[in-house]
Amino acid sequence: MITDARVLRQEFVPGDLEHRDAETTYLSETLAPIADGETPETVIMHGLSGVGKTCVAKYIGDNLRQEVLDAEFQYVNCWQHYSRYRALHRILEGLGQTLDIHRQSTPRDELFERLRQYDGPPCVVVLDEVDQLEDTRQLYHLHELPQFSMILIANREDAILRAVDERLTSRLTGSERIRFDAYHEDELVSIMAARVRWGLIENAIQDDQLRRIADAAAGDARVALSILRSAARRADRATENQITTDHVESAIPAGRKEVRQKSIDTLIHHQRVLYDILEEHKEIEPSALYETYQERVEEPKSDRTVRNYLAKMEHYNLIVADGTSRDRTYRLRE
DNA sequence: CATCCACGGGAAAAACAGGGTC
DNA sequence: GACCCTGTTTTTCCCGTGGATG
């Protein structure tokens, strides 16, 4: 059934991006000056999750490295590298400049100094989920350096501008924007069809089944591919050479769950306890939530810390906070 | 209208992480 | 290995704000 599991994975970047021609072309045109040794404008890419922002950025990065020999391309996921230090370190690491950085002997702002002195080929830095960055002043400084150009990615355009240092905001008002809309059903179907061609045996799945998956994914390619993967695995385990409608139907909740589970797995113990409490209640008010949390955990963190945890979990789309004031309640998403 | 909760920014403190030294 | 040093990261503390709520 499955001939190449890699192409079904969400992180897989296809050699040919479907349905993002306009965005891809626009991005590569914007970055074109880099071939002449000039610094391209900062680009802002925004749109809901699973609409190909990251994919387009990585795709362009691959192309850039192939076409312009003298260019570097660094991708930073600010979810994972949200502190100033980590984000900068990640860039330097990518450039192979961290070899002799020892934490202890690294003076203040040495990391940034390294970047300033970087004199290799021009570098495009992609900051994914940039609104998660804690200290955005560094972003401003990075913007100052001619050898670096930036692609900023976030779900919401205004989140970028809000997250960014105000000195940078004014400069970004004229920058290039690329908006990514949710995929249509047809587009999701053909995205999946391409993966099916590469990753599954022939006639493994019917067109109307792909359509069903696309419908369930509601414009999110990540979810669509997760469902497809789950359906293929089911058929594979049953050693059938066709995916049945049953496989698809049971893969829909499983696929959604898989996407969600990825987020849950990143939670630390205290956050997980909070999550479990929310799972037991349809809805719960902050004080009750905190009390329950205190009872369940050995050494409870302060209420302020718990609020930070909850905010983080809300950003992960795991929970929803209703109300802004005394009417605030928390619940799981969906 | 006073009060009450909860939120969330910011500063400061505490905890943590390597690495060097003796 | 215990201890210190320097920088990072997490947690706590303090507090102003603001929308309910009675």
Side-chain angles (χ1 to χ4, degrees):
Chain A
M1 162 63 61
I2 298 175
T3 55
D4 189 349
R6 282 174 309 166
V7 304
L8 293 179
R9 300 189 59 82
Q10 194 260 313
E11 311 81 44
F12 178 77
V13 179
D16 179 26
L17 273 194
E18 294 190 67
H19 311 298
R20 289 300 184 217
D21 287 343
E23 291 83 354
T24 310
T25 310
Y26 189 72
L27 183 58
S28 57
E29 276 171 8
T30 309
L31 295 181
I34 208 168
D36 308 322
E38 288 169 38
T39 310
E41 276 294 315
T42 297
V43 185
I44 292 178
M45 308 207 299
H46 59 104
L48 298 174
S49 67
V51 293
K53 302 185 296 293
T54 305
C55 207
V56 164
K58 286 184 170 172
Y59 176 80
I60 286 291
D62 289 344
N63 277 13
L64 199 67
R65 271 190 286 237
Q66 279 170 26
E67 289 166 16
V68 186
L69 292 176
D70 256 0
E72 275 286 347
F73 179 85
Q74 290 304 325
Y75 173 86
V76 182
N77 186 331
C78 299
W79 252 123
Q80 288 146 26
H81 307 94
Y82 53 83
S83 71
R84 174 194 75 184
Y85 183 85
R86 282 187 192 162
L88 292 183
H89 190 273
R90 172 69 194 74
I91 297 172
L92 281 168
E93 187 182 51
L95 294 171
Q97 305 275 312
T98 47
L99 293 176
D100 54 341
I101 289 188
H102 308 298
R103 290 180 67 105
Q104 174 260 8
S105 63
T106 310
R108 190 190 304 276
D109 290 328
E110 167 73 19
L111 255 47
F112 184 74
E113 205 45 43
R114 285 291 181 86
L115 284 176
R116 186 196 300 283
Q117 280 159 18
Y118 167 78
D119 59 353
C123 179
V124 176
V125 177
V126 176
L127 296 169
D128 204 348
E129 315 262 11
V130 68
D131 50 326
Q132 287 309 304
L133 218 48
E134 240 163 37
D135 181 358
T136 56
R137 285 188 298 256
Q138 300 301 310
L139 219 52
Y140 171 76
H141 293 306
L142 198 57
H143 192 258
E144 300 279 271
L145 302 181
Q147 51 289 42
F148 294 94
S149 46
M150 298 196 286
I151 299 177
L152 308 179
I153 303 181
N155 284 5
R156 296 162 55 96
E157 186 179 10
D158 55 344
I160 296 184
L161 295 176
R162 204 156 3 96
V164 148
D165 189 285
E166 69 271 5
R167 287 171 299 180
L168 191 51
T169 312
S170 56
R171 308 212 177 174
L172 288 181
T173 46
S175 65
E176 307 293 336
R177 313 285 165 93
I178 306 182
R179 196 179 85 224
F180 286 69
D181 295 313
Y183 286 114
H184 295 126
E185 198 177 298
D186 297 342
E187 296 173 333
L188 281 183
V189 167
S190 79
I191 287 169
M192 283 187 285
R195 306 279 178 117
V196 168
R197 275 198 300 281
W198 292 110
L200 301 182
I201 60 171
E202 260 187 83
N203 299 319
I205 188 163
Q206 306 297 316
D207 222 44
D208 57 327
Q209 291 175 321
L210 289 183
R211 211 153 274 287
R212 172 75 182 106
I213 296 176
D215 179 55
D220 188 332
R222 190 175 306 177
V223 174
L225 290 171
S226 176
I227 296 173
L228 176 65
R229 195 163 54 237
S230 171
R233 272 202 300 261
R234 272 151 214 273
D236 203 41
R237 267 203 301 274
T239 60
E240 295 181 42
N241 49 17
Q242 267 203 321
I243 294 176
T244 67
T245 304
D246 277 352
H247 293 147
V248 171
E249 289 305 323
S250 58
I252 288 172
R256 286 187 183 140
K257 196 175 167 202
E258 192 179 57
V259 171
R260 184 185 188 76
Q261 191 61 41
K262 260 195 179 166
S263 311
I264 295 178
D265 289 342
T266 67
L267 299 180
I268 59 176
H269 174 65
H270 291 262
Q271 294 171 325
R272 186 56 199 264
V273 170
L274 290 166
Y275 184 89
D276 290 342
I277 295 171
L278 290 175
E279 199 168 32
E280 292 160 27
H281 299 73
K282 222 201 307 295
E283 202 177 41
I284 188 167
E285 53 273 21
S287 53
L289 173 61
Y290 186 62
E291 271 172 41
T292 318
Y293 159 80
Q294 276 181 310
E295 288 162 14
R296 292 222 187 150
V297 106
E298 297 268 314
E299 291 173 59
K301 306 283 187 188
S302 68
D303 62 332
R304 182 67 187 86
T305 300
V306 167
R307 280 204 293 279
N308 280 340
Y309 288 165
L310 290 168
K312 204 94 185 175
M313 290 160 73
E314 190 186 5
H315 216 111
Y316 268 120
N317 283 332
L318 286 172
I319 67 173
V320 182
D322 299 304
T324 62
S325 176
R326 283 186 67 183
D327 55 344
R328 171 62 67 96
T329 59
Y330 292 101
R331 62 184 163 89
L332 289 193
R333 198 171 190 90
E334 264 135 282

